[in-house]
Amino acid sequence: MQKYNSLVVVGSQWGDEGKGKMTDYFAQKADLVVRFAGGDNAGHVINFNGQKHKVTIIPSGIFNKKVTSVIANGCVVNLLNLVKEFEVIKNSGVSYGNLLISDRVQLILPYHIKIDEAQEEARGENKIGTTKRGIGPAYQDKVSRLGIRLGELREENFKERFKIVFDYQMKFLKNMFNVEALDFDQTYNDLMDAYQKIKDKIIDTDIFIETAIKEGKKVLFEGAQGALLDIDHGTYPYVTSSNTSANNASTGSGISHKLIDSTMGVVKAYSTRVGAGAFPTELLNEIGDGIRERGHEYGSNTKRPRRIGWLDAVALKHAIRTSGIDSLFITLLDVLSGIDQINICVKYELNGKEINNVPSTNQMYEMCKPVYLENPGWSEDITGVTSFDQLPDEAKNYLKMIEKICEVKIAGFSVGPDREQTVILENIF
Ligand code: GDP
Ligand code: IMO
Ligand code: MG
């Protein structure tokens, strides 16, 4: 397989595929790591040198000292949380010097969090199970042209403009949800305090990224969430509010799609979902419980237990198509050790007919029954494996089967959370 200079790394399921681990791994060879969508609804755990780190909005390449990490225009940013996150990871030798933020990012403000909470409450039984980080309302405001771009904080009349937007939001909260007003001065002062701490990191990042690619630098584009949570191509309405798929790497970082060479989809060896929505391969039994415990499948952000299911190749192929995925990276393979039979969903049955695609509505998706291909499992602990050859035959066959069904090359696999527990099959970056 060819080696690429600009690579997009995206989640190919419902998030938490190990994108953080993989981005950190490939960042060892990168000059730039660019986060292009989402906000602090993401939660990535990164392990190396016996230490465990967590990031939400800061790009996962930040722990590699030579990397410049960029939060690009497609993201929504809560400045207060960004500053807090930096204070935590600073202790591991990370400096603000490695971070740049686009002046075009949209801000998540305290009222977005209030609206997120109130909307979830109002949805009642149909609640999405959001992370309550204000993501949906912040993207709503971007599209409604009520949002605040980070670059605006530099302007002299910002306080007056912010007051107009703020008053509108307070009226909306009161009239729509009967939520009491926030204090304007407090909100403004907190925002400006955080802004003071990061203001020299704010630039026009699209020009910076474009120049880097044209100069031959190695650039990783880091996706958040997963393709099935994409606002257009995901399992709507149980999705997040941004385009999480790889196509947004160009819009979300302000560069031409022609500058992007290749896309790698990170895939868990099984499936997980946090929050509500149809999940055809869900395992509501002791196999699912076992995977949850062995894989520590609890949200790194919200601590919610993740729902567990078999690998769903129909959903995965949908992600491959809608994100243009060129290679797959299989993570958490070690978690499947000790299971007698491992299933892969290859079709759905809907109203007595077989279908090969993800239907457009949740109601129809709820009615889909998985059709499985059965694979023999393995019992060996594979967490120390360093090559394909060292895998038990059943694990080799499982990977080959995924490759065959998806018709996409597997670039590597991961057998534990640590940076070292990574096996490369194709040197693509
Ligand atoms: P992300 O949101 O896609 O970055 O994924 P998360 O960090 O939310 O969730 C993935 C979890 O799996 C984290 O706790 C990682 O440390 C862990 N992890 C990643 N790869 C592996 C692996 O190959 N094996 C095991 N056992 N854990 C892994
Ligand atoms: P990473 O980047 C898994 C889910 C939420 C909810 C839905 C909408 O760590 O893979 P939101 O707060 O975005 O409005 O919630 O999307 N969700 C995630 N699930 N991993 C994530 O991020 C997620 N970010 C959002 O649980 O179902
Ligand atoms: Mg996560």
Side-chain angles (χ1 to χ4, degrees):
M1 221 186 266
Q2 205 185 323
K3 220 168 160 180
Y4 298 105
N5 264 349
S6 57
L7 178 71
V8 184
V9 176
V10 280
S12 317
Q13 294 155 308
W14 285 273
D16 303 324
E17 298 90 348
K19 300 173 293 294
K21 169 178 166 161
M22 295 326 307
T23 304
D24 167 72
Y25 181 85
F26 286 108
Q28 295 176 97
K29 289 192 193 165
D31 297 298
L32 247 65
V33 174
V34 180
R35 174 77 189 267
F36 61 84
D40 56 350
N41 49 346
H44 310 302
V45 178
I46 294 157
N47 291 264
F48 57 90
N49 296 343
Q51 285 178 306
K52 181 170 164 176
H53 302 279
K54 203 195 114 184
V55 286
T56 64
I57 183 60
I58 293 176
S60 303
I62 196 84
F63 301 102
N64 292 274
K65 306 246 157 54
K66 281 188 267 163
V67 166
T68 302
S69 294
V70 180
I71 303 176
N73 60 278
C75 296
V76 284
V77 179
N78 180 329
L79 284 193
L80 278 57
N81 287 353
L82 172 68
V83 166
K84 269 192 221 145
E85 187 159 310
F86 229 104
E87 289 306 311
V88 174
I89 62 169
K90 207 167 70 176
N91 299 331
S92 54
V94 175
S95 91
Y96 272 117
N98 301 350
L99 184 72
L100 293 173
I101 312 166
S102 165
D103 51 9
R104 286 180 167 81
V105 298
Q106 291 276 330
L107 296 184
I108 301 175
L109 290 150
Y111 47 75
H112 291 132
I113 294 168
K114 294 268 177 213
I115 297 170
D116 197 354
E117 289 165 356
Q119 282 178 335
E120 277 288 82
E121 174 99 30
R123 286 184 190 114
E125 279 187 6
N126 296 322
K127 75 174 183 181
I128 292 166
T130 74
T131 57
K132 301 204 177 142
R133 300 291 167 110
I135 306 298
Y139 277 115
Q140 252 166 263
D141 277 358
K142 172 180 177 174
V143 176
S144 308
R145 293 152 297 175
L146 277 169
I148 306 278
R149 270 187 170 175
L150 180 55
E152 290 182 63
L153 272 63
R154 296 182 186 128
E155 289 170 352
E156 265 178 25
N157 66 347
F158 171 67
K159 192 169 182 180
E160 288 77 54
R161 156 137 166 84
F162 186 43
K163 181 80 170 79
I164 295 167
V165 174
F166 185 90
D167 287 346
Y168 168 91
Q169 301 283 2
M170 291 310 109
K171 248 188 244 161
F172 178 72
L173 266 171
K174 180 76 192 156
N175 295 342
M176 190 71 194
F177 300 114
N178 200 24
V179 171
E180 285 311 312
L182 296 161
D183 183 74
F184 176 74
D185 286 332
Q186 172 92 49
T187 309
Y188 174 78
N189 291 338
D190 288 350
L191 178 64
M192 294 318 278
D193 281 352
Y195 169 69
Q196 289 304 326
K197 296 194 174 119
I198 52 114
K199 68 176 186 207
D200 20 318
K201 303 287 129 213
I202 305 171
I203 64 160
D204 185 337
T205 54
D206 33 347
I207 296 172
F208 181 81
I209 299 163
E210 183 187 63
T211 308
I213 294 179
K214 288 189 170 162
E215 284 174 352
K217 299 226 164 92
K218 290 180 88 66
V219 182
L220 271 184
F221 293 89
E222 177 189 5
Q225 288 79 50
L228 275 300
L229 290 173
D230 184 283
I231 185 77
D232 283 287
H233 305 294
T235 48
Y236 191 87
Y238 297 98
V239 292
T240 189
S241 296
S242 66
N243 284 114
T244 56
S245 55
N247 303 321
N248 193 27
S250 53
T251 307
S253 21
I255 57 151
S256 164
H257 65 96
K258 293 175 195 154
L259 293 176
I260 294 175
D261 294 333
S262 190
T263 297
M264 189 178 81
V266 184
V267 187
K268 219 171 247 201
Y270 46 94
S271 302
T272 59
R273 233 197 134 145
V274 201
F279 189 14
T281 66
E282 185 162 20
L283 284 165
L284 295 166
N285 57 20
E286 66 285 359
I287 298 179
D289 294 344
I291 292 177
R292 184 178 302 106
E293 293 317 309
R294 282 194 304 283
H296 308 289
E297 293 290 2
Y298 294 86
S300 76
N301 237 342
T302 57
K303 314 287 175 228
R304 291 178 289 178
R306 294 176 182 149
R307 299 159 68 195
I308 313 288
W310 294 121
L311 183 69
D312 185 336
V314 183
L316 179 53
K317 279 158 76 174
H318 178 82
I320 290 169
R321 249 191 341 267
T322 52
S323 271
I325 289 171
D326 304 298
S327 59
L328 298 174
F329 208 102
I330 311 295
T331 54
L332 294 111
L333 189 62
D334 54 298
V335 176
L336 294 183
S337 289
I339 300 175
D340 295 337
Q341 179 186 300
I342 302 170
N343 294 343
I344 303 178
C345 169
V346 286
K347 296 177 210 172
Y348 303 134
E349 198 192 286
L350 176 64
N351 296 328
K353 287 195 187 126
E354 284 186 347
I355 63 162
N356 293 296
N357 62 302
V358 176
S360 65
T361 68
N362 188 65
Q363 204 171 332
M364 254 204 279
Y365 204 26
E366 290 277 11
M367 295 189 314
C368 286
K369 303 267 175 297
V371 178
Y372 287 120
L373 185 104
E374 296 169 356
N375 302 270
W378 61 91
S379 55
E380 294 89 334
D381 176 348
I382 58 168
T383 52
V385 160
T386 54
S387 73
F388 185 78
D389 291 344
Q390 291 172 12
L391 284 175
D393 285 345
E394 295 82 359
K396 284 181 190 155
N397 290 336
Y398 184 62
L399 293 182
K400 283 187 200 155
M401 190 53 76
I402 297 171
E403 208 166 47
K404 189 171 162 206
I405 296 168
C406 295
E407 299 177 62
V408 176
K409 271 264 175 219
I410 293 179
F413 60 93
S414 163
V415 291
D418 197 83
R419 209 188 254 172
E420 301 293 317
Q421 291 172 298
T422 309
V423 179
I424 299 293
L425 302 177
E426 302 277 350
N427 202 5
I428 55 168
F429 185 70

